[in-house]
Amino acid sequence: MLLELKQIGKTFGGIKALSDVNFAIDPGQILGLIGPNGAGKTTIFNMITGIFSPTTGSITFEGTNLVNMPPHQITGLGIARTFQNIRLFGHMSALENIKVGMHSVTRSGFWASLLHLPLQKKEEAHVWERSMELLEFVGLKDVADIRSDTLAYGQQRKLEIARALATNPKLLLLDEPAAGMIESETLQLMELIRKIRDNGTTVLLVEHDMPLVMNLCDKVVCINFGVKIAEGPPEVIQNHPDVIEAYLGKEDE
Ligand SMILES: Nc1ncnc2c1ncn2[C@@H]1O[C@H](COP(=O)(O)OP(=O)(O)OP(=O)(O)O)[C@@H](O)[C@H]1O
Ligand SMILES: [Mg+2]
C-alpha cells in the first residue's frame, strides 16, 4: 500500500464536508476519485498535501503519518499535485515554470541559486537538462521559451503536470486535468497519464470525464456528500446504482 486514508472526516465551521472516508492506493495504480460537485474530492487532495488537516482519521504514505506535516515536507516524501484551476506563473516561459518546480527539490535551493554559490552552477545545468526532459515527456519541448499564459489551454494543463513531475513524485494527484479540454487533448492526456504510471509514478485522479476515468483507472472510488458510496473496478462503478443515482438524481424526484 502506498497511501492509506482511514476514517477521514473534515468539518468546515460546523459543516461536515467529509465523514468516515476510507480508501487506499497500491503502488503502480491509477485510482479514480469521482463524485458530483461539492462531494469533497478537492478537500481530500488538500488534506493529503497538507493544506488542511483532517478533523478525524489518519493519512499514511509508505507508513508515515502525513497528518499535521507541512506541505513542503509532504512534497519531499514524494507527493505532488496539480490544481483544479490552472496555477502557472503566466508571465514566465514554460521552461521557467518547470525550473521553479524543481527548485523545491534541488540541493542548493532557491536562495543559494540567487546568490550564485558554486554548487549552484552545476545544479543549474542539471535543472535545465531535467526541465527540458520533462517538457519533452509531456510534448511541450517546442514551446519551452513561450510565455505560459499564451499557450493553448490543453498545453497549460500539461505544463502543470510537468511541473508537478519536476519534484520526482512517487504519487501524483491530478485534480480535473481534463477540465476544459477538447476531445483530442483529452485523448493525449490519457496517453500521458498512462505513460506517467508506466514510468513508475502512482496516480490519484479526480475527474468528471467518465469515459476517461473508466478507460484509465484500475480502481474507482465514488464519494457523494462527503461519504464514500462505492469502490471497485470501473466496470462495477459504471453500473453501480448508487453512483448512477448520485450523478443523475432519483428519477422519481
Ligand atoms: N476552505 C473551505 N472552507 C469552507 N468550506 C469548504 C472549504 N473547502 C471546501 N469546502 C466545502 O467542502 C465541500 C466539498 O468541497 P470540495 O471542493 O472538496 O468539492 P469537490 O468534490 O472538489 O467539488 P468540485 O467537483 O465542484 O470541484 C463543499 O461543500 C465546499 O463548499
Ligand atoms: Mg474540486
Side-chain angles (χ1 to χ4, degrees), residues 185-198:
E185 289 174 329
T186 305
L187 289 174
Q188 284 179 4
L189 174 73
M190 250 167 73
E191 238 171 77
L192 175 61
I193 296 172
R194 269 206 198 98
K195 220 165 62 166
I196 290 168
R197 190 267 301 275
D198 293 346

Side-chain angles (χ1 to χ4, degrees), residues 10-13 15-18 34-46 52 84 175-176 206 208 223 226:
K10 180 68 187 174
T11 307
F12 291 112
I15 306 220
K16 254 194 179 167
L18 289 165
I34 65 167
N37 293 119
K41 307 177 295 296
T42 299
T43 302
I44 290 176
F45 274 22
N46 286 338
F52 309 139
Q84 191 166 345
D175 199 347
E176 299 195 23
V206 164
H208 286 294
I223 57 172

Side-chain angles (χ1 to χ4, degrees), residues 183-234:
E183 203 184 334
S184 61
E185 289 174 329
T186 305
L187 289 174
Q188 284 179 4
L189 174 73
M190 250 167 73
E191 238 171 77
L192 175 61
I193 296 172
R194 269 206 198 98
K195 220 165 62 166
I196 290 168
R197 190 267 301 275
D198 293 346
N199 272 10
T201 300
T202 304
V203 177
L204 175 56
L205 172 74
V206 164
E207 190 44 70
H208 286 294
D209 184 322
M210 286 307 127
L212 181 144
V213 169
M214 298 305 168
N215 268 305
L216 204 54
C217 296
D218 302 299
K219 187 169 90 170
V220 180
V221 169
C222 180
I223 57 172
N224 191 24
F225 294 114
V227 176
K228 184 173 84 175
I229 57 168
E231 172 173 355

Side-chain angles (χ1 to χ4, degrees), residues 9-174:
K10 180 68 187 174
T11 307
F12 291 112
I15 306 220
K16 254 194 179 167
L18 289 165
S19 30
D20 202 22
V21 172
N22 297 283
F23 67 87
I25 311 171
D26 287 327
Q29 264 188 338
I30 301 177
L31 187 135
L33 180 60
I34 65 167
N37 293 119
K41 307 177 295 296
T42 299
T43 302
I44 290 176
F45 274 22
N46 286 338
M47 289 189 297
I48 295 170
T49 53
I51 295 176
F52 309 139
S53 299
T55 312
T56 61
S58 70
I59 304 174
T60 49
F61 181 68
E62 296 186 311
T64 304
N65 180 19
L66 300 184
V67 175
N68 296 324
M69 198 183 269
H72 70 270
Q73 216 171 319
I74 293 174
T75 306
L77 288 179
I79 299 180
R81 77 179 290 182
T82 63
F83 293 90
Q84 191 166 345
N85 303 306
I86 292 176
R87 292 193 192 179
L88 292 168
F89 298 106
H91 61 288
M92 290 188 188
S93 71
L95 180 66
E96 285 164 342
N97 269 279
I98 310 277
K99 283 182 171 178
V100 172
M102 278 194 75
H103 274 303
S104 63
V105 286
T106 50
R107 275 208 296 154
S108 58
F110 181 72
W111 293 108
S113 77
L114 280 186
L115 299 169
H116 294 285
L117 299 179
L119 170 64
Q120 191 260 332
K121 271 243 159 78
K122 234 192 200 164
E123 223 162 41
E124 205 165 76
H126 166 72
V127 166
W128 184 86
E129 226 166 81
R130 175 76 183 131
S131 300
M132 288 306 283
E133 207 175 272
L134 283 164
L135 285 174
E136 187 165 18
F137 182 75
V138 302
L140 294 177
K141 201 181 175 189
D142 295 344
V143 295
D145 298 321
I146 306 286
R147 260 179 76 131
S148 69
D149 59 3
T150 64
L151 295 174
Y153 191 78
Q155 290 178 314
Q156 293 191 26
R157 284 261 176 218
K158 284 193 214 160
L159 180 56
E160 275 224 310
I161 294 174
R163 187 175 61 179
L165 290 174
T167 63
N168 292 322
K170 294 176 188 164
L171 174 67
L172 176 64
L173 314 182
L174 300 173

